[in-house]
Structures are given as C-alpha cells and as structure tokens.
Amino acid sequence: MHELIIIGGGPAGLAAAAYAVRKRMDALFISRGLGGRTNRRLLLPWVEDYQVTIAEETIQRFRTQLEYLDFMRVRSTVTSIVQIDGGFRVTVADGKFFDTQTIIFATGAVGELLNVPGEREFEMKGLCYSAMTYAPLMVDRNATVVGDEVLALRAVAELSRIGTQVTLIAETDGDLNTPLGEKVLCADNVIVKRRAKVLEVKGDGYARGIVIRHEGRVLELPTDAIFIEKQLVPKSELVADLVALDECGFIIVDHRNRTTMPGLFAAGDVTNALAFQVLMGLGDGEKAALSAFDYLMGMGGADFVCKIPGE
C-alpha cells in the first residue's frame, strides 16, 4: 500500500507531487498529462510572449522535477475511488488498481461553455474563461464579460480598473442587483446588457466581436477580448460519495486542505478555496502534501478532518 496517491496534473497536483518527492514519501502521481490548464495560453494580438511566461516557467520547473520519475508516474485516468481498510483503492482506465493510505485530489475545474458558433474556434484566441488570470493584459483595452453571477462581477471589477471599457452581457439578473453588483456596475466605464443572449462569436485570427440578442434586436459588439465567466464546474464526481461538497459541487476543505473524509485531501480549483490562479494552486498543492505527511505521521489521527460548522 502506498503512502500517498496524487490525482491530477495541474499546478496543485504538480506541486503536491514535487513536495512528496522531497519528503521521500512512497507516492504515486496519476495524471494523463502535466500542467492542466496552464498548457493553454490566451493569445492576444498586442501581447508578446515575454509578458505571460512567468506562470509557464514556474510550471515547467515542477515538470522538470517529475518527468524523470517514471516509477511514480501513472499516465492514465482514474475511474473510481473507494474506501478500504487502512485507506483507499484507486482504479484507473485499464482496470489496474492501487491502494494508498492517503489521497490528494486535485482534478481542477472547467469553465461552463456558451455552446455558440465561434466559441470553440476562437477559444484562447481572444476568448477565454479566466479574467482573473489575464486581466493585467487588458490595459487601455475594451473587454467583454459574459455571465451574471459573482464570477462575472469579479471579472468586471478587475477589468474596469485597467481597461478603457468593459461590457457585461448578462442573460439573467443573477447577482446583478446585489450590493456587490451595484458597486461593481456603477463604474463609468462599465456597460451592462441585461437579459441579453449571446448568439455567436466572430473574428479573424482572433475573436473580434460578439453577437447578442438584446431587447428584441440582434447586435454585434466589437471587442478586444471576451471573458466567459459563467459558473465553473469542478471535476469532483469521483469523490462525491466520499466527501462533503458545497452547493456548486466544489470539495469543502479547511485551511489545511482537509476534506470531511480522514486521509483524503483536496487542492486547487476543485475545492471551495478559490485557488483559481497558478501560484495559488501551487501553494495549495504543497499545503495539501504537508497535511498528508502530517496525517501519515499520526498528527491528528482520525480527527484530522475538515469540520463543517453546524454539523
């Protein structure tokens, strides 16, 4: 039985695996690839590579530490996780299984799609799903945000501080009428299209415009970049019967990345810790690995779990 299995090859999983190596833990790292969402970088016509390479260079350092460790790599997809005596059994796509005392679950989250013409064509070519990551590139530019919940409002808040103009396209009122919405949307450079539906994304080599239906009319709005900020969808289904999830399906963790299941830790985008940037994910992964190490050393025992207030 292994001491630790890390599931997921994004920033949190990479950092957890690198930490486990340094601690000489008996660990397996299960992921089809390395880097997660960092393998895909938003391309913008006015941005040079050197302006966005810091995160990629950081991730590459972690890749370099792990790529030669074939003995701890399993290049596959996990299909099930079940609790067994003394830990967990992790089964992968070819039917093989591995037993472990602890798990760090770091499978990430994906952005909810619009599913309209042009979205796939221009994805990461002027259109992406993370304003938090790319807002600094929008100085003196016109940006469009699609969404009507807190994620979209946060994106508008960031972009309006540095951009010339931000247009929010909201299909419903969502969180627009909350105190947060009223504060964010009152900025002079913010335009709101309420109850508007996106029909198409247009462009040449990059996304250049977005077609919407608003107040009975079809409009094409020019833009320098489009940020789809609808609900993130966590990839937590494999542990849904083992740990507590919040109302959106994110794994509930405490400040030590402990879930409600002893021995099962979670890190990165799949948790409710809002670690949606590369450096946040890296720190989250290392913290989870430290917690798993402490658990294995007997520091906390069966009580070493996340406590949900009121339960």
Side-chain angles (χ1 to χ4, degrees):
M1 178 177 281
H2 296 283
E3 289 185 307
L4 171 65
I5 287 180
I6 299 150
I7 301 169
L14 283 170
Y19 189 94
V21 169
R22 292 197 296 272
K23 286 290 187 182
R24 299 296 191 267
M25 298 172 71
D26 174 14
L28 278 187
F29 181 42
I30 303 179
S31 175
R32 292 194 64 85
L34 300 178
R37 289 195 293 168
T38 64
N39 290 321
R40 300 162 63 251
R41 175 168 59 84
L42 177 64
L43 302 177
L44 296 167
W46 66 88
V47 175
E48 300 292 338
D49 285 346
Y50 72 88
Q51 294 175 272
V52 290
T53 55
I54 293 176
E56 295 174 25
E57 291 171 351
T58 303
I59 289 296
Q60 184 56 40
R61 293 192 189 102
F62 283 89
R63 282 199 191 101
T64 302
Q65 293 181 52
L66 298 173
E67 284 179 334
Y68 73 95
L69 298 173
D70 282 340
F71 65 89
M72 70 172 290
R73 284 286 309 279
V74 177
R75 294 171 175 83
S76 188
T77 301
V78 174
T79 57
S80 75
I81 301 171
V82 296
Q83 193 174 18
I84 60 173
D85 288 343
F88 306 90
R89 175 161 293 173
V90 178
T91 304
V92 296
D94 64 1
K96 292 181 180 178
F97 62 83
F98 308 92
D99 294 343
T100 179
Q101 296 177 61
T102 63
I103 288 175
I104 294 176
F105 195 77
T107 51
V110 294
E112 184 180 336
L113 303 179
L114 294 174
N115 293 313
V116 299
E119 181 180 18
R120 288 295 195 186
E121 179 183 353
F122 295 110
E123 185 177 354
M124 306 312 288
K125 300 175 183 177
L127 179 152
C128 77
Y129 303 86
S130 180
M132 182 184 291
T133 300
Y134 295 108
L137 303 178
M138 297 303 296
V139 176
D140 297 329
R141 296 287 174 173
N142 295 331
T144 299
V145 176
V146 179
D148 50 30
E149 297 180 338
V150 170
L151 282 179
L153 293 172
R154 186 171 62 190
V156 171
E158 290 198 45
L159 291 163
S160 63
R161 288 174 176 263
I162 59 175
T164 301
Q165 178 179 292
V166 182
T167 301
L168 174 65
I169 300 172
E171 189 164 356
T172 73
D173 285 337
D175 293 320
L176 272 60
N177 295 324
T178 63
L180 172 62
E182 292 171 0
K183 179 178 181 179
V184 168
L185 302 179
C186 69
D188 292 338
N189 62 339
V190 173
I191 296 172
V192 183
K193 300 291 186 182
R194 290 177 180 259
R195 290 176 287 281
K197 183 173 179 59
V198 177
L199 303 178
E200 185 179 0
V201 177
K202 289 189 173 182
D204 40 40
Y206 301 91
R208 303 286 190 179
I210 189 163
V211 180
I212 66 171
R213 180 180 292 112
H214 181 238
E215 296 180 345
R217 297 187 300 156
V218 174
L219 308 172
E220 182 174 343
L221 308 177
T223 187
D224 291 320
I226 300 168
F227 298 93
I228 312 302
E229 294 287 348
K230 303 183 76 175
Q231 180 64 53
L232 286 174
V233 181
K235 294 190 282 187
S236 59
E237 58 276 2
L238 283 171
V239 294
D241 294 331
L242 297 174
V243 303
L245 308 178
D246 70 11
E247 64 275 10
C248 296
F250 291 94
I251 298 172
I252 296 173
V253 294
D254 66 6
H255 65 289
R256 294 292 306 277
N257 294 87
R258 300 175 292 201
T259 71
T260 52
M261 169 66 71
L264 204 163
F265 304 84
D269 293 359
V270 75
T271 74
N272 66 336
L274 302 178
F276 296 147
Q277 289 185 297
V278 170
L279 294 180
M280 293 179 184
L282 293 172
D284 218 40
E286 290 204 349
K287 188 168 57 170
L290 175 59
S291 292
F293 182 82
D294 287 348
Y295 177 87
L296 290 165
M297 295 300 101
M299 300 172 64
D303 294 328
F304 201 84
V305 295
C306 172
K307 305 292 187 180
I308 299 178
E311 292 191 359

